[in-house]
PDB file of all heavy atoms in Angstrom:
ATOM      1  N   PRO A   8      10.979 -15.196 -11.184  1.00  0.00           N
ATOM      2  CA  PRO A   8      10.463 -16.034 -10.096  1.00  0.00           C
ATOM      3  C   PRO A   8      11.235 -15.858  -8.784  1.00  0.00           C
ATOM      4  O   PRO A   8      10.633 -15.827  -7.709  1.00  0.00           O
ATOM      5  CB  PRO A   8      10.610 -17.456 -10.651  1.00  0.00           C
ATOM      6  CG  PRO A   8      10.551 -17.277 -12.140  1.00  0.00           C
ATOM      7  CD  PRO A   8      11.284 -15.997 -12.387  1.00  0.00           C
ATOM      8  N   GLU A   9      12.552 -15.720  -8.876  1.00  0.00           N
ATOM      9  CA  GLU A   9      13.327 -15.521  -7.648  1.00  0.00           C
ATOM     10  C   GLU A   9      13.071 -14.141  -7.057  1.00  0.00           C
ATOM     11  O   GLU A   9      12.997 -13.980  -5.837  1.00  0.00           O
ATOM     12  CB  GLU A   9      14.817 -15.717  -7.904  1.00  0.00           C
ATOM     13  CG  GLU A   9      15.637 -15.608  -6.616  1.00  0.00           C
ATOM     14  CD  GLU A   9      17.094 -15.993  -6.789  1.00  0.00           C
ATOM     15  OE1 GLU A   9      17.592 -16.007  -7.929  1.00  0.00           O
ATOM     16  OE2 GLU A   9      17.740 -16.279  -5.757  1.00  0.00           O
ATOM     17  N   LEU A  10      12.936 -13.140  -7.907  1.00  0.00           N
ATOM     18  CA  LEU A  10      12.613 -11.795  -7.411  1.00  0.00           C
ATOM     19  C   LEU A  10      11.277 -11.801  -6.678  1.00  0.00           C
ATOM     20  O   LEU A  10      11.132 -11.173  -5.630  1.00  0.00           O
ATOM     21  CB  LEU A  10      12.582 -10.811  -8.578  1.00  0.00           C
ATOM     22  CG  LEU A  10      13.938 -10.469  -9.187  1.00  0.00           C
ATOM     23  CD1 LEU A  10      13.755  -9.795 -10.538  1.00  0.00           C
ATOM     24  CD2 LEU A  10      14.743  -9.582  -8.246  1.00  0.00           C
ATOM     25  N   LEU A  11      10.305 -12.535  -7.237  1.00  0.00           N
ATOM     26  CA  LEU A  11       9.001 -12.591  -6.581  1.00  0.00           C
ATOM     27  C   LEU A  11       9.083 -13.368  -5.268  1.00  0.00           C
ATOM     28  O   LEU A  11       8.394 -13.024  -4.298  1.00  0.00           O
ATOM     29  CB  LEU A  11       7.974 -13.218  -7.528  1.00  0.00           C
ATOM     30  CG  LEU A  11       6.529 -12.701  -7.413  1.00  0.00           C
ATOM     31  CD1 LEU A  11       6.467 -11.191  -7.513  1.00  0.00           C
ATOM     32  CD2 LEU A  11       5.660 -13.330  -8.494  1.00  0.00           C
ATOM     33  N   ARG A  12       9.941 -14.383  -5.223  1.00  0.00           N
ATOM     34  CA  ARG A  12      10.141 -15.103  -3.955  1.00  0.00           C
ATOM     35  C   ARG A  12      10.775 -14.187  -2.907  1.00  0.00           C
ATOM     36  O   ARG A  12      10.413 -14.247  -1.724  1.00  0.00           O
ATOM     37  CB  ARG A  12      11.014 -16.340  -4.178  1.00  0.00           C
ATOM     38  CG  ARG A  12      10.324 -17.470  -4.923  1.00  0.00           C
ATOM     39  CD  ARG A  12      11.072 -18.785  -4.796  1.00  0.00           C
ATOM     40  NE  ARG A  12      12.426 -18.726  -5.333  1.00  0.00           N
ATOM     41  CZ  ARG A  12      12.739 -18.976  -6.595  1.00  0.00           C
ATOM     42  NH1 ARG A  12      11.780 -19.282  -7.475  1.00  0.00           N
ATOM     43  NH2 ARG A  12      13.994 -18.934  -7.003  1.00  0.00           N
ATOM     44  N   TYR A  13      11.712 -13.356  -3.346  1.00  0.00           N
ATOM     45  CA  TYR A  13      12.335 -12.390  -2.429  1.00  0.00           C
ATOM     46  C   TYR A  13      11.296 -11.400  -1.903  1.00  0.00           C
ATOM     47  O   TYR A  13      11.240 -11.114  -0.693  1.00  0.00           O
ATOM     48  CB  TYR A  13      13.458 -11.643  -3.149  1.00  0.00           C
ATOM     49  CG  TYR A  13      14.039 -10.484  -2.363  1.00  0.00           C
ATOM     50  CD1 TYR A  13      14.863 -10.695  -1.271  1.00  0.00           C
ATOM     51  CD2 TYR A  13      13.743  -9.169  -2.726  1.00  0.00           C
ATOM     52  CE1 TYR A  13      15.395  -9.630  -0.557  1.00  0.00           C
ATOM     53  CE2 TYR A  13      14.272  -8.100  -2.020  1.00  0.00           C
ATOM     54  CZ  TYR A  13      15.093  -8.328  -0.936  1.00  0.00           C
ATOM     55  OH  TYR A  13      15.610  -7.268  -0.221  1.00  0.00           O
ATOM     56  N   ILE A  14      10.484 -10.877  -2.799  1.00  0.00           N
ATOM     57  CA  ILE A  14       9.444  -9.924  -2.396  1.00  0.00           C
ATOM     58  C   ILE A  14       8.469 -10.582  -1.426  1.00  0.00           C
ATOM     59  O   ILE A  14       8.069  -9.982  -0.416  1.00  0.00           O
ATOM     60  CB  ILE A  14       8.727  -9.391  -3.660  1.00  0.00           C
ATOM     61  CG1 ILE A  14       9.673  -8.484  -4.461  1.00  0.00           C
ATOM     62  CG2 ILE A  14       7.445  -8.652  -3.301  1.00  0.00           C
ATOM     63  CD1 ILE A  14       9.226  -8.200  -5.874  1.00  0.00           C
ATOM     64  N   ASP A  15       8.094 -11.827  -1.710  1.00  0.00           N
ATOM     65  CA  ASP A  15       7.214 -12.571  -0.805  1.00  0.00           C
ATOM     66  C   ASP A  15       7.872 -12.765   0.558  1.00  0.00           C
ATOM     67  O   ASP A  15       7.231 -12.621   1.602  1.00  0.00           O
ATOM     68  CB  ASP A  15       6.867 -13.922  -1.419  1.00  0.00           C
ATOM     69  CG  ASP A  15       6.124 -14.821  -0.452  1.00  0.00           C
ATOM     70  OD1 ASP A  15       4.962 -14.518  -0.134  1.00  0.00           O
ATOM     71  OD2 ASP A  15       6.711 -15.827   0.007  1.00  0.00           O
ATOM     72  N   PHE A  16       9.161 -13.089   0.555  1.00  0.00           N
ATOM     73  CA  PHE A  16       9.898 -13.280   1.799  1.00  0.00           C
ATOM     74  C   PHE A  16       9.885 -12.007   2.644  1.00  0.00           C
ATOM     75  O   PHE A  16       9.606 -12.045   3.848  1.00  0.00           O
ATOM     76  CB  PHE A  16      11.340 -13.692   1.486  1.00  0.00           C
ATOM     77  CG  PHE A  16      12.237 -13.735   2.691  1.00  0.00           C
ATOM     78  CD1 PHE A  16      12.172 -14.783   3.591  1.00  0.00           C
ATOM     79  CD2 PHE A  16      13.153 -12.716   2.921  1.00  0.00           C
ATOM     80  CE1 PHE A  16      12.995 -14.818   4.706  1.00  0.00           C
ATOM     81  CE2 PHE A  16      13.984 -12.739   4.022  1.00  0.00           C
ATOM     82  CZ  PHE A  16      13.912 -13.794   4.932  1.00  0.00           C
ATOM     83  N   VAL A  17      10.159 -10.865   1.998  1.00  0.00           N
ATOM     84  CA  VAL A  17      10.172  -9.591   2.725  1.00  0.00           C
ATOM     85  C   VAL A  17       8.785  -9.276   3.264  1.00  0.00           C
ATOM     86  O   VAL A  17       8.623  -8.907   4.444  1.00  0.00           O
ATOM     87  CB  VAL A  17      10.682  -8.455   1.819  1.00  0.00           C
ATOM     88  CG1 VAL A  17      10.540  -7.106   2.518  1.00  0.00           C
ATOM     89  CG2 VAL A  17      12.135  -8.690   1.423  1.00  0.00           C
ATOM     90  N   ALA A  18       7.768  -9.418   2.418  1.00  0.00           N
ATOM     91  CA  ALA A  18       6.400  -9.088   2.837  1.00  0.00           C
ATOM     92  C   ALA A  18       5.938  -9.970   3.992  1.00  0.00           C
ATOM     93  O   ALA A  18       5.257  -9.507   4.915  1.00  0.00           O
ATOM     94  CB  ALA A  18       5.447  -9.209   1.659  1.00  0.00           C
ATOM     95  N   THR A  19       6.297 -11.245   3.932  1.00  0.00           N
ATOM     96  CA  THR A  19       5.903 -12.176   4.992  1.00  0.00           C
ATOM     97  C   THR A  19       6.702 -11.933   6.267  1.00  0.00           C
ATOM     98  O   THR A  19       6.147 -11.881   7.368  1.00  0.00           O
ATOM     99  CB  THR A  19       6.094 -13.623   4.519  1.00  0.00           C
ATOM    100  OG1 THR A  19       5.302 -13.836   3.342  1.00  0.00           O
ATOM    101  CG2 THR A  19       5.666 -14.610   5.591  1.00  0.00           C
ATOM    102  N   ARG A  20       7.999 -11.776   6.104  1.00  0.00           N
ATOM    103  CA  ARG A  20       8.884 -11.569   7.260  1.00  0.00           C
ATOM    104  C   ARG A  20       8.506 -10.324   8.038  1.00  0.00           C
ATOM    105  O   ARG A  20       8.585 -10.294   9.278  1.00  0.00           O
ATOM    106  CB  ARG A  20      10.330 -11.465   6.752  1.00  0.00           C
ATOM    107  CG  ARG A  20      11.387 -11.172   7.797  1.00  0.00           C
ATOM    108  CD  ARG A  20      11.621 -12.341   8.712  1.00  0.00           C
ATOM    109  NE  ARG A  20      12.805 -12.143   9.532  1.00  0.00           N
ATOM    110  CZ  ARG A  20      12.868 -11.351  10.608  1.00  0.00           C
ATOM    111  NH1 ARG A  20      11.799 -10.664  10.976  1.00  0.00           N
ATOM    112  NH2 ARG A  20      14.003 -11.227  11.297  1.00  0.00           N
ATOM    113  N   LEU A  21       8.083  -9.282   7.341  1.00  0.00           N
ATOM    114  CA  LEU A  21       7.746  -8.011   7.991  1.00  0.00           C
ATOM    115  C   LEU A  21       6.239  -7.803   8.157  1.00  0.00           C
ATOM    116  O   LEU A  21       5.812  -6.740   8.599  1.00  0.00           O
ATOM    117  CB  LEU A  21       8.346  -6.850   7.185  1.00  0.00           C
ATOM    118  CG  LEU A  21       9.874  -6.889   6.998  1.00  0.00           C
ATOM    119  CD1 LEU A  21      10.331  -5.727   6.141  1.00  0.00           C
ATOM    120  CD2 LEU A  21      10.595  -6.880   8.347  1.00  0.00           C
ATOM    121  N   ASP A  22       5.462  -8.812   7.776  1.00  0.00           N
ATOM    122  CA  ASP A  22       4.007  -8.772   7.937  1.00  0.00           C
ATOM    123  C   ASP A  22       3.405  -7.528   7.271  1.00  0.00           C
ATOM    124  O   ASP A  22       2.606  -6.797   7.861  1.00  0.00           O
ATOM    125  CB  ASP A  22       3.631  -8.807   9.428  1.00  0.00           C
ATOM    126  CG  ASP A  22       2.147  -9.123   9.650  1.00  0.00           C
ATOM    127  OD1 ASP A  22       1.527  -9.666   8.713  1.00  0.00           O
ATOM    128  OD2 ASP A  22       1.632  -8.818  10.738  1.00  0.00           O
ATOM    129  N   LEU A  23       3.756  -7.317   6.016  1.00  0.00           N
ATOM    130  CA  LEU A  23       3.321  -6.107   5.307  1.00  0.00           C
ATOM    131  C   LEU A  23       1.943  -6.251   4.672  1.00  0.00           C
ATOM    132  O   LEU A  23       1.225  -5.254   4.510  1.00  0.00           O
ATOM    133  CB  LEU A  23       4.334  -5.744   4.212  1.00  0.00           C
ATOM    134  CG  LEU A  23       5.780  -5.482   4.667  1.00  0.00           C
ATOM    135  CD1 LEU A  23       6.634  -5.098   3.470  1.00  0.00           C
ATOM    136  CD2 LEU A  23       5.830  -4.383   5.728  1.00  0.00           C
ATOM    137  N   ARG A  24       1.554  -7.471   4.312  1.00  0.00           N
ATOM    138  CA  ARG A  24       0.321  -7.631   3.538  1.00  0.00           C
ATOM    139  C   ARG A  24      -0.916  -7.183   4.303  1.00  0.00           C
ATOM    140  O   ARG A  24      -1.910  -6.784   3.686  1.00  0.00           O
ATOM    141  CB  ARG A  24       0.168  -9.087   3.103  1.00  0.00           C
ATOM    142  CG  ARG A  24       1.120  -9.511   1.989  1.00  0.00           C
ATOM    143  CD  ARG A  24       0.806 -10.905   1.513  1.00  0.00           C
ATOM    144  NE  ARG A  24       1.667 -11.340   0.417  1.00  0.00           N
ATOM    145  CZ  ARG A  24       2.832 -11.949   0.579  1.00  0.00           C
ATOM    146  NH1 ARG A  24       3.271 -12.208   1.828  1.00  0.00           N
ATOM    147  NH2 ARG A  24       3.559 -12.309  -0.463  1.00  0.00           N
ATOM    148  N   ARG A  25      -0.893  -7.245   5.605  1.00  0.00           N
ATOM    149  CA  ARG A  25      -2.095  -6.856   6.355  1.00  0.00           C
ATOM    150  C   ARG A  25      -2.426  -5.372   6.191  1.00  0.00           C
ATOM    151  O   ARG A  25      -3.548  -4.944   6.485  1.00  0.00           O
ATOM    152  CB  ARG A  25      -1.926  -7.191   7.845  1.00  0.00           C
ATOM    153  CG  ARG A  25      -0.844  -6.407   8.574  1.00  0.00           C
ATOM    154  CD  ARG A  25      -0.631  -6.974   9.968  1.00  0.00           C
ATOM    155  NE  ARG A  25       0.456  -6.315  10.680  1.00  0.00           N
ATOM    156  CZ  ARG A  25       0.291  -5.279  11.502  1.00  0.00           C
ATOM    157  NH1 ARG A  25      -0.932  -4.800  11.716  1.00  0.00           N
ATOM    158  NH2 ARG A  25       1.312  -4.728  12.113  1.00  0.00           N
ATOM    159  N   HIS A  26      -1.477  -4.597   5.684  1.00  0.00           N
ATOM    160  CA  HIS A  26      -1.720  -3.167   5.471  1.00  0.00           C
ATOM    161  C   HIS A  26      -2.176  -2.863   4.047  1.00  0.00           C
ATOM    162  O   HIS A  26      -2.472  -1.704   3.738  1.00  0.00           O
ATOM    163  CB  HIS A  26      -0.451  -2.365   5.774  1.00  0.00           C
ATOM    164  CG  HIS A  26       0.030  -2.502   7.180  1.00  0.00           C
ATOM    165  ND1 HIS A  26      -0.639  -1.944   8.247  1.00  0.00           N
ATOM    166  CD2 HIS A  26       1.103  -3.158   7.698  1.00  0.00           C
ATOM    167  CE1 HIS A  26       0.014  -2.228   9.373  1.00  0.00           C
ATOM    168  NE2 HIS A  26       1.069  -2.962   9.065  1.00  0.00           N
ATOM    169  N   PHE A  27      -2.217  -3.885   3.191  1.00  0.00           N
ATOM    170  CA  PHE A  27      -2.585  -3.678   1.790  1.00  0.00           C
ATOM    171  C   PHE A  27      -4.018  -4.113   1.531  1.00  0.00           C
ATOM    172  O   PHE A  27      -4.505  -5.096   2.090  1.00  0.00           O
ATOM    173  CB  PHE A  27      -1.663  -4.484   0.871  1.00  0.00           C
ATOM    174  CG  PHE A  27      -0.353  -3.815   0.582  1.00  0.00           C
ATOM    175  CD1 PHE A  27       0.752  -4.088   1.365  1.00  0.00           C
ATOM    176  CD2 PHE A  27      -0.232  -2.919  -0.468  1.00  0.00           C
ATOM    177  CE1 PHE A  27       1.980  -3.480   1.103  1.00  0.00           C
ATOM    178  CE2 PHE A  27       0.974  -2.310  -0.736  1.00  0.00           C
ATOM    179  CZ  PHE A  27       2.088  -2.593   0.055  1.00  0.00           C
ATOM    180  N   GLN A  28      -4.677  -3.378   0.662  1.00  0.00           N
ATOM    181  CA  GLN A  28      -5.943  -3.816   0.082  1.00  0.00           C
ATOM    182  C   GLN A  28      -5.651  -4.101  -1.386  1.00  0.00           C
ATOM    183  O   GLN A  28      -5.359  -3.192  -2.158  1.00  0.00           O
ATOM    184  CB  GLN A  28      -7.020  -2.739   0.224  1.00  0.00           C
ATOM    185  CG  GLN A  28      -8.372  -3.171  -0.319  1.00  0.00           C
ATOM    186  CD  GLN A  28      -9.478  -2.206   0.075  1.00  0.00           C
ATOM    187  OE1 GLN A  28      -9.662  -1.904   1.253  1.00  0.00           O
ATOM    188  NE2 GLN A  28     -10.212  -1.712  -0.915  1.00  0.00           N
ATOM    189  N   PHE A  29      -5.702  -5.386  -1.761  1.00  0.00           N
ATOM    190  CA  PHE A  29      -5.331  -5.801  -3.108  1.00  0.00           C
ATOM    191  C   PHE A  29      -6.526  -5.750  -4.054  1.00  0.00           C
ATOM    192  O   PHE A  29      -7.667  -5.521  -3.640  1.00  0.00           O
ATOM    193  CB  PHE A  29      -4.716  -7.205  -3.067  1.00  0.00           C
ATOM    194  CG  PHE A  29      -3.442  -7.276  -2.292  1.00  0.00           C
ATOM    195  CD1 PHE A  29      -3.386  -7.916  -1.069  1.00  0.00           C
ATOM    196  CD2 PHE A  29      -2.289  -6.689  -2.787  1.00  0.00           C
ATOM    197  CE1 PHE A  29      -2.211  -7.985  -0.338  1.00  0.00           C
ATOM    198  CE2 PHE A  29      -1.095  -6.755  -2.080  1.00  0.00           C
ATOM    199  CZ  PHE A  29      -1.055  -7.398  -0.846  1.00  0.00           C
ATOM    200  N   SER A  30      -6.239  -5.939  -5.334  1.00  0.00           N
ATOM    201  CA  SER A  30      -7.272  -5.894  -6.382  1.00  0.00           C
ATOM    202  C   SER A  30      -8.085  -4.601  -6.289  1.00  0.00           C
ATOM    203  O   SER A  30      -9.292  -4.592  -6.517  1.00  0.00           O
ATOM    204  CB  SER A  30      -8.191  -7.116  -6.271  1.00  0.00           C
ATOM    205  OG  SER A  30      -7.453  -8.309  -6.365  1.00  0.00           O
ATOM    206  N   THR A  31      -7.393  -3.527  -5.983  1.00  0.00           N
ATOM    207  CA  THR A  31      -8.056  -2.239  -5.775  1.00  0.00           C
ATOM    208  C   THR A  31      -7.310  -1.139  -6.517  1.00  0.00           C
ATOM    209  O   THR A  31      -6.087  -1.005  -6.373  1.00  0.00           O
ATOM    210  CB  THR A  31      -8.104  -1.887  -4.279  1.00  0.00           C
ATOM    211  OG1 THR A  31      -8.764  -2.943  -3.565  1.00  0.00           O
ATOM    212  CG2 THR A  31      -8.856  -0.587  -4.054  1.00  0.00           C
ATOM    213  N   ARG A  32      -8.037  -0.381  -7.296  1.00  0.00           N
ATOM    214  CA  ARG A  32      -7.457   0.763  -7.992  1.00  0.00           C
ATOM    215  C   ARG A  32      -7.990   2.060  -7.393  1.00  0.00           C
ATOM    216  O   ARG A  32      -9.186   2.188  -7.129  1.00  0.00           O
ATOM    217  CB  ARG A  32      -7.787   0.726  -9.488  1.00  0.00           C
ATOM    218  CG  ARG A  32      -7.081  -0.388 -10.232  1.00  0.00           C
ATOM    219  CD  ARG A  32      -7.230  -0.254 -11.739  1.00  0.00           C
ATOM    220  NE  ARG A  32      -6.515  -1.313 -12.429  1.00  0.00           N
ATOM    221  CZ  ARG A  32      -5.219  -1.263 -12.744  1.00  0.00           C
ATOM    222  NH1 ARG A  32      -4.521  -0.177 -12.431  1.00  0.00           N
ATOM    223  NH2 ARG A  32      -4.629  -2.266 -13.364  1.00  0.00           N
ATOM    224  N   VAL A  33      -7.094   2.991  -7.181  1.00  0.00           N
ATOM    225  CA  VAL A  33      -7.499   4.326  -6.760  1.00  0.00           C
ATOM    226  C   VAL A  33      -8.010   5.077  -7.984  1.00  0.00           C
ATOM    227  O   VAL A  33      -7.326   5.132  -9.013  1.00  0.00           O
ATOM    228  CB  VAL A  33      -6.325   5.073  -6.100  1.00  0.00           C
ATOM    229  CG1 VAL A  33      -6.664   6.547  -5.901  1.00  0.00           C
ATOM    230  CG2 VAL A  33      -5.964   4.423  -4.774  1.00  0.00           C
ATOM    231  N   GLU A  34      -9.202   5.638  -7.876  1.00  0.00           N
ATOM    232  CA  GLU A  34      -9.794   6.350  -9.007  1.00  0.00           C
ATOM    233  C   GLU A  34      -9.662   7.858  -8.888  1.00  0.00           C
ATOM    234  O   GLU A  34      -9.684   8.568  -9.894  1.00  0.00           O
ATOM    235  CB  GLU A  34     -11.270   5.966  -9.152  1.00  0.00           C
ATOM    236  CG  GLU A  34     -11.456   4.499  -9.559  1.00  0.00           C
ATOM    237  CD  GLU A  34     -12.882   4.185  -9.953  1.00  0.00           C
ATOM    238  OE1 GLU A  34     -13.802   4.887  -9.473  1.00  0.00           O
ATOM    239  OE2 GLU A  34     -13.077   3.242 -10.744  1.00  0.00           O
ATOM    240  N   SER A  35      -9.531   8.355  -7.644  1.00  0.00           N
ATOM    241  CA  SER A  35      -9.349   9.796  -7.478  1.00  0.00           C
ATOM    242  C   SER A  35      -8.726  10.090  -6.124  1.00  0.00           C
ATOM    243  O   SER A  35      -8.885   9.328  -5.168  1.00  0.00           O
ATOM    244  CB  SER A  35     -10.685  10.546  -7.603  1.00  0.00           C
ATOM    245  OG  SER A  35     -11.534  10.232  -6.512  1.00  0.00           O
ATOM    246  N   ALA A  36      -7.990  11.182  -6.097  1.00  0.00           N
ATOM    247  CA  ALA A  36      -7.428  11.706  -4.851  1.00  0.00           C
ATOM    248  C   ALA A  36      -7.593  13.215  -4.903  1.00  0.00           C
ATOM    249  O   ALA A  36      -7.074  13.867  -5.820  1.00  0.00           O
ATOM    250  CB  ALA A  36      -5.966  11.320  -4.706  1.00  0.00           C
ATOM    251  N   VAL A  37      -8.351  13.764  -3.958  1.00  0.00           N
ATOM    252  CA  VAL A  37      -8.716  15.183  -3.998  1.00  0.00           C
ATOM    253  C   VAL A  37      -8.311  15.845  -2.686  1.00  0.00           C
ATOM    254  O   VAL A  37      -8.643  15.356  -1.591  1.00  0.00           O
ATOM    255  CB  VAL A  37     -10.236  15.362  -4.233  1.00  0.00           C
ATOM    256  CG1 VAL A  37     -10.602  16.841  -4.280  1.00  0.00           C
ATOM    257  CG2 VAL A  37     -10.659  14.647  -5.519  1.00  0.00           C
ATOM    258  N   TRP A  38      -7.618  16.972  -2.788  1.00  0.00           N
ATOM    259  CA  TRP A  38      -7.165  17.715  -1.610  1.00  0.00           C
ATOM    260  C   TRP A  38      -8.282  18.591  -1.068  1.00  0.00           C
ATOM    261  O   TRP A  38      -8.929  19.330  -1.809  1.00  0.00           O
ATOM    262  CB  TRP A  38      -5.956  18.579  -1.966  1.00  0.00           C
ATOM    263  CG  TRP A  38      -5.491  19.511  -0.877  1.00  0.00           C
ATOM    264  CD1 TRP A  38      -5.579  20.867  -0.864  1.00  0.00           C
ATOM    265  CD2 TRP A  38      -4.843  19.141   0.351  1.00  0.00           C
ATOM    266  NE1 TRP A  38      -5.021  21.379   0.285  1.00  0.00           N
ATOM    267  CE2 TRP A  38      -4.568  20.331   1.057  1.00  0.00           C
ATOM    268  CE3 TRP A  38      -4.487  17.925   0.917  1.00  0.00           C
ATOM    269  CZ2 TRP A  38      -3.938  20.339   2.304  1.00  0.00           C
ATOM    270  CZ3 TRP A  38      -3.868  17.925   2.160  1.00  0.00           C
ATOM    271  CH2 TRP A  38      -3.594  19.110   2.837  1.00  0.00           C
ATOM    272  N   ASP A  39      -8.524  18.490   0.236  1.00  0.00           N
ATOM    273  CA  ASP A  39      -9.494  19.333   0.944  1.00  0.00           C
ATOM    274  C   ASP A  39      -8.697  20.397   1.689  1.00  0.00           C
ATOM    275  O   ASP A  39      -8.097  20.137   2.731  1.00  0.00           O
ATOM    276  CB  ASP A  39     -10.310  18.469   1.915  1.00  0.00           C
ATOM    277  CG  ASP A  39     -11.425  19.252   2.586  1.00  0.00           C
ATOM    278  OD1 ASP A  39     -11.239  20.461   2.861  1.00  0.00           O
ATOM    279  OD2 ASP A  39     -12.477  18.653   2.864  1.00  0.00           O
ATOM    280  N   GLU A  40      -8.696  21.604   1.164  1.00  0.00           N
ATOM    281  CA  GLU A  40      -7.879  22.682   1.723  1.00  0.00           C
ATOM    282  C   GLU A  40      -8.308  23.048   3.137  1.00  0.00           C
ATOM    283  O   GLU A  40      -7.475  23.267   4.016  1.00  0.00           O
ATOM    284  CB  GLU A  40      -7.952  23.907   0.810  1.00  0.00           C
ATOM    285  CG  GLU A  40      -7.199  25.120   1.315  1.00  0.00           C
ATOM    286  CD  GLU A  40      -5.686  24.953   1.235  1.00  0.00           C
ATOM    287  OE1 GLU A  40      -5.209  23.999   0.583  1.00  0.00           O
ATOM    288  OE2 GLU A  40      -4.969  25.785   1.830  1.00  0.00           O
ATOM    289  N   GLU A  41      -9.603  23.100   3.372  1.00  0.00           N
ATOM    290  CA  GLU A  41     -10.090  23.510   4.679  1.00  0.00           C
ATOM    291  C   GLU A  41      -9.712  22.501   5.756  1.00  0.00           C
ATOM    292  O   GLU A  41      -9.293  22.873   6.858  1.00  0.00           O
ATOM    293  CB  GLU A  41     -11.610  23.699   4.635  1.00  0.00           C
ATOM    294  CG  GLU A  41     -12.223  24.159   5.958  1.00  0.00           C
ATOM    295  CD  GLU A  41     -11.685  25.501   6.422  1.00  0.00           C
ATOM    296  OE1 GLU A  41     -11.334  26.338   5.553  1.00  0.00           O
ATOM    297  OE2 GLU A  41     -11.600  25.710   7.659  1.00  0.00           O
ATOM    298  N   ARG A  42      -9.858  21.228   5.437  1.00  0.00           N
ATOM    299  CA  ARG A  42      -9.595  20.183   6.430  1.00  0.00           C
ATOM    300  C   ARG A  42      -8.185  19.629   6.343  1.00  0.00           C
ATOM    301  O   ARG A  42      -7.795  18.783   7.148  1.00  0.00           O
ATOM    302  CB  ARG A  42     -10.616  19.060   6.260  1.00  0.00           C
ATOM    303  CG  ARG A  42     -12.055  19.540   6.490  1.00  0.00           C
ATOM    304  CD  ARG A  42     -13.072  18.507   6.029  1.00  0.00           C
ATOM    305  NE  ARG A  42     -12.929  17.265   6.769  1.00  0.00           N
ATOM    306  CZ  ARG A  42     -13.125  16.057   6.254  1.00  0.00           C
ATOM    307  NH1 ARG A  42     -13.463  15.933   4.968  1.00  0.00           N
ATOM    308  NH2 ARG A  42     -12.987  14.979   6.994  1.00  0.00           N
ATOM    309  N   GLN A  43      -7.411  20.092   5.348  1.00  0.00           N
ATOM    310  CA  GLN A  43      -6.014  19.692   5.179  1.00  0.00           C
ATOM    311  C   GLN A  43      -5.858  18.171   5.125  1.00  0.00           C
ATOM    312  O   GLN A  43      -5.087  17.578   5.877  1.00  0.00           O
ATOM    313  CB  GLN A  43      -5.142  20.284   6.302  1.00  0.00           C
ATOM    314  CG  GLN A  43      -5.034  21.802   6.238  1.00  0.00           C
ATOM    315  CD  GLN A  43      -4.229  22.366   7.390  1.00  0.00           C
ATOM    316  OE1 GLN A  43      -4.469  22.025   8.539  1.00  0.00           O
ATOM    317  NE2 GLN A  43      -3.264  23.222   7.091  1.00  0.00           N
ATOM    318  N   LEU A  44      -6.579  17.591   4.203  1.00  0.00           N
ATOM    319  CA  LEU A  44      -6.463  16.146   4.017  1.00  0.00           C
ATOM    320  C   LEU A  44      -6.808  15.755   2.584  1.00  0.00           C
ATOM    321  O   LEU A  44      -7.410  16.528   1.836  1.00  0.00           O
ATOM    322  CB  LEU A  44      -7.344  15.392   5.016  1.00  0.00           C
ATOM    323  CG  LEU A  44      -8.834  15.707   5.114  1.00  0.00           C
ATOM    324  CD1 LEU A  44      -9.629  15.116   3.962  1.00  0.00           C
ATOM    325  CD2 LEU A  44      -9.383  15.168   6.427  1.00  0.00           C
ATOM    326  N   TRP A  45      -6.403  14.532   2.242  1.00  0.00           N
ATOM    327  CA  TRP A  45      -6.707  13.975   0.930  1.00  0.00           C
ATOM    328  C   TRP A  45      -7.884  13.014   1.052  1.00  0.00           C
ATOM    329  O   TRP A  45      -7.929  12.181   1.959  1.00  0.00           O
ATOM    330  CB  TRP A  45      -5.499  13.224   0.369  1.00  0.00           C
ATOM    331  CG  TRP A  45      -4.432  14.154  -0.134  1.00  0.00           C
ATOM    332  CD1 TRP A  45      -3.370  14.640   0.571  1.00  0.00           C
ATOM    333  CD2 TRP A  45      -4.363  14.744  -1.436  1.00  0.00           C
ATOM    334  NE1 TRP A  45      -2.631  15.492  -0.209  1.00  0.00           N
ATOM    335  CE2 TRP A  45      -3.217  15.568  -1.450  1.00  0.00           C
ATOM    336  CE3 TRP A  45      -5.142  14.642  -2.587  1.00  0.00           C
ATOM    337  CZ2 TRP A  45      -2.846  16.295  -2.582  1.00  0.00           C
ATOM    338  CZ3 TRP A  45      -4.783  15.369  -3.702  1.00  0.00           C
ATOM    339  CH2 TRP A  45      -3.642  16.186  -3.694  1.00  0.00           C
ATOM    340  N   THR A  46      -8.827  13.149   0.129  1.00  0.00           N
ATOM    341  CA  THR A  46      -9.953  12.220   0.034  1.00  0.00           C
ATOM    342  C   THR A  46      -9.696  11.306  -1.165  1.00  0.00           C
ATOM    343  O   THR A  46      -9.580  11.762  -2.299  1.00  0.00           O
ATOM    344  CB  THR A  46     -11.276  12.966  -0.155  1.00  0.00           C
ATOM    345  OG1 THR A  46     -11.504  13.814   0.973  1.00  0.00           O
ATOM    346  CG2 THR A  46     -12.431  11.989  -0.280  1.00  0.00           C
TER     347      THR A  46
END
């Protein structure tokens, strides 16, 4: 519980949650050689 409070403190203090999409699983990551990016 204290570790989770610390993590919450850091996330809130640094406003990190706005960059997260929660309840979401990545199902695939595929490299596009021509466009040099990950889909």
Side-chain angles (χ1 to χ4, degrees):
E9 184 172 19
L10 289 165
L11 213 53
R12 288 195 300 272
Y13 172 73
I14 290 165
D15 172 69
F16 172 77
V17 173
T19 301
R20 177 71 169 77
L21 302 178
D22 195 20
L23 301 182
R24 287 186 178 89
R25 66 189 176 93
H26 299 289
F27 278 93
Q28 182 169 306
F29 296 109
S30 302
T31 303
R32 291 190 178 274
V33 169
E34 293 191 334
S35 68
V37 180
W38 173 249
D39 186 326
E40 177 71 12
E41 181 61 31
R42 298 168 61 215
Q43 293 177 311
L44 54 76
W45 285 92
T46 299

